[in-house]
Amino acid sequence: MGEAADAGLLAVRLVLGAVMAAHGWNHWRGGGGITGTAGWFAGLGLTRPRLQAWLSVLTELGAGALLVAGLFTPLACAAVLSVMLVAGLLAHRPNGFFVFREGYEYVLVLGVLALALGAWGPGRYALDTAADIAVTGWAGAGVVLGVGAVATAGLLAAFWRPRRTT
């Protein structure tokens, strides 16, 4: 792939991983902590909001750490995609596109970046590559899209109960 491309993939993994870890940390320790995050999730129509808050924290911290290490990259990217799909569908879609209006612009960029990273692979500077377990190309993108979509659908089917407006 080349030195510059590998350095670019490392930068993408590090930034996306750090962003996800920061989100997980914020849901856990920032602002209202788990209680505040659970309240926000309840407002989105998710049942068992405290469980959802902890699952979000673990998913975001875990995916972030895996991306930074370049380990199980397609699964880490699938976790990012799923989190972004849930956030986009439940919290941001009603507000339109632009992030400055609480729209889905930001989560769309992170989700597409996760899907693209699944296709590109983790690059040379990754544990996946060192262990010779890197999955790239259509297979990597397929894992990200398939696992991310199934995880999102499963979460929504099991835990989302939108409020009915009368």
Side-chain angles (χ1 to χ4, degrees), residues 13 16-18 20-21 59-71 76 127:
R13 279 196 359 260
L16 186 57
M20 292 309 296
T59 300
E60 291 168 349
L61 287 174
L66 289 172
L67 284 169
V68 167
L71 182 62
L127 292 177

Side-chain angles (χ1 to χ4, degrees), residues 47-150:
T47 63
R48 312 271 320 265
R50 193 161 184 85
L51 172 65
Q52 294 305 313
W54 278 111
L55 289 174
S56 175
V57 165
L58 294 173
T59 300
E60 291 168 349
L61 287 174
L66 289 172
L67 284 169
V68 167
L71 182 62
F72 306 126
T73 302
L75 295 177
C77 288
V80 171
L81 179 61
S82 182
V83 168
M84 294 305 116
L85 283 170
V86 170
L89 291 168
L90 300 188
H92 300 287
R93 182 181 47 86
N95 303 320
F97 178 74
F98 293 106
V99 69
F100 62 85
R101 292 191 174 130
E102 298 297 323
Y104 60 86
E105 176 183 12
Y106 176 67
V107 297
L108 176 66
V109 169
L110 292 181
V112 170
L113 183 58
L115 180 59
L117 186 57
W120 296 329
R124 183 187 326 171
Y125 309 115
L127 292 177
D128 283 344
T129 303
D132 198 26
I133 60 170
V135 178
T136 63
W138 289 112
V143 169
V144 175
L145 188 57
V147 172
V150 167

